[in-house]
Amino acid sequence: MKQSAIVIPGDTPEISWHIPVLEFSGPHANAVQKVYIQAALHANELPGVAALHLLCARLGEAEAAGAIRGDITIVPQANPIGAAQAHFGEMQGRFDLGSRGNYNRDFPLIASSARHELLLGLDRLTAPERLKRELLNRALGADLVLDLHCDDESLPYAYIDSAFWPEASDLASALQMDAVFLSDGESSAFEEAVSYAWKQERGGKDVSLPGRLSVTVELRGRRDVGPNVARRDADGLWAFLQARGIVEGDAPALEPYSGPAFALDTIEMIKAPVPGTVLFHRDIGERVEAGDLLAVLVPRPGFPEHDVEVRAPQAGLVVTRSSARFARRRDDLMKIGCAGNTEAGRKSGALED
């Protein structure tokens, strides 16, 4: 294993951030695909960190045994800037407190041939901007890119550009995903910046990218961090690497992915119509029918006549749910994957800020 670090100078004197980078390789590295995997770009999303911790130990053993065929780059904790942010004792890892920018938005949209330009003029940029350029530069040297995140309360699912589907169903199978969201390639999130760069080399937006993959993996919810679930996810990542021929082994063939693949236009983002205490009536993993009661909002405790019911706009699968039990007006409560398009008028790009 080769160890290095990405060093990000801070935006105040005498501060810098060091991001460990672990590289595993084998004798056939130039003959097979290169892999890049990172976790915790949203610093308070830690299931991927736990999974990569176990995976790296396994990769070290495989490298020593000569069982790694390709180049595998792992960034186990990609955002120490966000990890150092706390407000009233709670980590604020999704947004930069200085700029209010989402750490997984506003990645440069460039062609992969311009990759070298990402590292030009870095001294003029803020630490979060430098972080994004350094990570994207590393990822564009690979063929398979996995960005490990998690949702709030959630089933395991992934955002996968339709350019990679259904070829990427082996990843969904290996990680035992309950759903796939087919993204539209219209955001500036990390995984879409990678696929955008590849698409530019093939002439534009509506192209297929055989043999490539850039995906956001949502490893359940924020509290799903522990030895058993981490081992399951590490095993899933290992099975995917074996299926793609990156590591050697006699793993059983992956079962075909049998779960749903939802276009983003079919995702119902259930929002709180009024502020108040949230009483959920349905949980993640449940299937609902149109009109089913999802939650009751209590804006005026002690006055039940003011309670507001939230019902399913159409039939579907409850993929995520908010862990908060108080909602402000228009806060997200659930994501429900459906067969029909939402009538909520979704804009192109990411589902959430």
Side-chain angles (χ1 to χ4, degrees):
M1 178 181 71
K2 177 183 176 183
Q3 300 182 44
S4 61
I6 299 170
V7 179
I8 308 291
D11 294 329
T12 56
E14 309 303 332
I15 294 290
S16 62
W17 312 99
H18 292 247
I19 306 169
V21 178
L22 310 180
E23 298 177 74
F24 305 87
S25 62
H28 308 292
N30 293 327
V32 298
Q33 295 171 312
K34 297 183 185 332
V35 180
Y36 174 91
I37 310 176
Q38 69 180 25
L41 179 57
H42 286 149
N44 55 349
E45 297 178 359
L46 300 175
V49 174
L52 291 185
H53 179 66
L54 298 184
L55 180 66
C56 285
R58 194 164 181 177
L59 288 173
E61 295 173 356
E63 185 179 52
I68 293 181
R69 295 174 53 82
D71 284 335
I72 305 170
T73 298
I74 307 287
V75 182
Q77 198 156 22
N79 186 3
I81 306 174
Q85 296 181 154
H87 186 63
F88 297 144
E90 184 174 348
M91 185 194 296
Q92 303 296 314
R94 184 177 181 87
F95 298 97
D96 172 48
L97 293 184
S99 68
R100 295 181 290 180
N102 188 321
Y103 283 110
N104 194 25
R105 303 289 186 272
D106 301 319
F107 278 85
L109 298 178
I110 62 167
S112 55
S113 59
R115 175 187 171 198
H116 68 284
E117 297 178 8
L118 290 168
L119 303 185
L120 299 178
L122 290 181
D123 57 341
R124 299 181 288 104
L125 303 177
T126 66
E129 290 170 332
R130 293 178 71 139
L131 172 71
K132 293 175 183 180
R133 287 173 174 260
E134 290 276 9
L135 295 176
L136 183 58
N137 176 64
R138 296 269 179 163
L140 288 179
D143 305 291
L144 307 175
V145 176
L146 309 185
D147 189 16
L148 306 185
H149 288 252
C150 70
D151 212 297
D152 203 343
E153 294 178 357
S154 176
L155 302 175
Y157 73 102
Y159 291 94
I160 302 179
D161 192 309
S162 56
F164 307 117
W165 192 258
E167 185 180 3
S169 63
D170 60 342
L171 177 67
S173 175
L175 288 172
Q176 301 178 53
M177 293 177 185
D178 289 316
V180 166
F181 290 2
L182 297 177
S183 57
D184 55 17
E186 294 293 327
S187 87
S188 57
F190 176 81
E191 108 277 354
E192 293 200 75
V194 173
S195 60
Y196 178 93
W198 293 339
K199 289 176 183 179
Q200 295 310 297
E201 298 303 305
R202 288 179 172 259
K205 177 181 175 182
D206 298 319
V207 297
S208 62
L209 295 167
R212 296 285 186 101
L213 178 60
S214 179
V215 57
T216 291
V217 177
E218 303 282 359
L219 293 174
R220 290 168 296 277
R222 248 192 302 253
R223 296 184 63 186
D224 293 315
V225 181
N228 293 333
V229 71
R231 189 172 300 109
R232 172 179 167 177
D233 291 337
D235 288 346
L237 292 169
W238 183 263
F240 170 71
L241 293 174
Q242 284 191 317
R244 290 292 179 109
I246 310 300
V247 295
E248 298 175 353
D250 297 323
L254 295 175
E255 294 292 327
Y257 173 67
S258 59
F262 299 110
L264 293 191
D265 285 341
T266 71
I267 306 300
E268 294 285 1
M269 299 294 292
I270 307 301
K271 295 181 177 291
V274 298
T277 300
V278 184
L279 306 177
F280 281 114
H281 284 250
R282 305 306 292 262
D283 203 348
I284 59 172
E286 294 184 3
R287 293 192 174 272
V288 297
E289 299 298 325
D292 280 357
L293 181 63
L294 302 176
V296 172
L297 291 169
V298 182
R300 299 191 66 198
F303 299 88
E305 65 272 19
H306 293 284
D307 289 358
V308 175
E309 295 181 343
V310 180
R311 295 187 175 272
Q314 60 173 312
L317 173 69
V318 180
V319 180
T320 78
R321 190 175 76 171
S322 172
S323 63
R325 295 303 182 263
F326 183 87
R328 295 166 62 90
R329 193 187 312 273
R330 301 297 295 165
D331 276 355
D332 293 328
L333 298 177
M334 290 176 165
K335 297 186 190 77
I336 302 179
C338 304
N341 283 0
T342 177
E343 296 182 359
R346 188 189 78 86
K347 297 180 180 178
S348 60
L351 290 176
E352 299 169 285
D353 292 335

